[in-house]
Amino acid sequence: MPWIKPVKQKEMKELNAQKNIPNPAPLFDRLLANNEALYEAFLPLQKAIKETDFPDDLREAVITFVSMKNGCKYCTDSHSKLLEELVDQEDVLDWLSHYEESDMSEEWKAVLTYANHIIAKPVEVTKEDVERLKEHGYDARKISALNQTVAYTSYTNQLSMGLGL
């Protein structure tokens, strides 16, 4: 259970941002909605991350991987379940943990290596990490979207853990 009381579902329908709120609203959103102004500011970024050009399976792999590395059990559990529905892997957490030795594509390995470097120590992200992404067809737009997805996920992991999820 979270450490603060979430906004009730019926109250979520009364928020100014209601046209952008999922119905029913997930617990995470209901916790953030305790501060309506910050929640309303959060929603466009949440929507933009979901609407990147990445295929659903890759986006969920990145989100699950980042959440796992950051120790956010709530996000890891929810996103790994979705990832399992999208990829043909029995234990996606083990698969992601050992991605370098796995049978996943070299593109996915480059993406997860880049994400891993940002999570572990952002100052150690190298030009070579970016060049490796470019070798797999990533242009500035896709690299920027990947960077935002990793950072956004770390941000939401901190929100979740800080509220007791």
Side-chain angles (χ1 to χ4, degrees):
M1 277 313 283
W3 298 328
I4 63 172
K5 189 175 179 179
V7 172
K8 292 182 179 179
Q9 289 289 350
K10 69 178 185 172
E11 295 169 5
M12 291 296 288
K13 293 177 182 177
E14 298 167 7
L15 295 178
N16 289 333
Q18 76 177 26
K19 66 179 183 233
N20 296 318
I21 299 172
N23 188 16
L27 178 58
F28 175 78
D29 287 65
R30 292 172 44 223
L31 289 169
L32 295 184
N34 276 296
N35 185 313
E36 187 175 351
L38 288 175
Y39 182 55
E40 285 184 30
F42 172 82
L43 287 170
L45 180 57
Q46 182 185 55
K47 182 178 184 239
I49 294 297
K50 289 178 181 177
E51 294 176 356
T52 61
D53 292 340
F54 295 115
D56 292 342
D57 55 355
L58 179 56
R59 182 178 46 258
E60 286 304 317
V62 170
I63 293 170
T64 303
F65 180 79
V66 172
S67 298
M68 181 179 67
K69 291 288 192 167
N70 285 333
C72 185
K73 184 171 174 19
Y74 177 81
C75 297
T76 300
D77 290 348
S78 60
H79 287 280
S80 67
K81 286 176 186 162
L82 180 53
L83 181 59
E84 285 176 353
E85 294 176 14
L86 297 170
V87 297
D88 187 24
Q89 291 293 323
E90 286 186 26
D91 184 350
V92 295
L93 297 181
D94 184 64
W95 183 59
L96 292 173
S97 292
H98 300 97
Y99 74 91
E100 294 173 309
E101 303 88 37
S102 78
D103 61 352
M104 72 176 57
S105 72
E106 291 302 314
E107 174 194 354
W108 280 39
K109 289 179 183 182
V111 165
L112 295 182
T113 297
Y114 178 80
N116 193 41
H117 289 167
I118 292 174
I119 299 161
K121 197 166 186 180
V123 72
E124 292 183 3
V125 174
T126 66
K127 184 175 182 177
E128 288 75 26
D129 294 328
V130 173
E131 292 301 323
R132 187 172 175 200
L133 292 169
K134 288 179 179 179
E135 290 171 12
H136 294 285
Y138 283 64
D139 59 10
R141 184 171 190 262
K142 271 184 100 166
I143 293 168
S144 178
L146 175 58
N147 182 276
Q148 290 272 348
T149 301
V150 173
Y152 166 83
T153 303
S154 290
Y155 168 60
T156 59
N157 293 160
Q158 291 174 351
L159 290 171
S160 297
M161 291 184 290
L163 297 173
L165 291 179

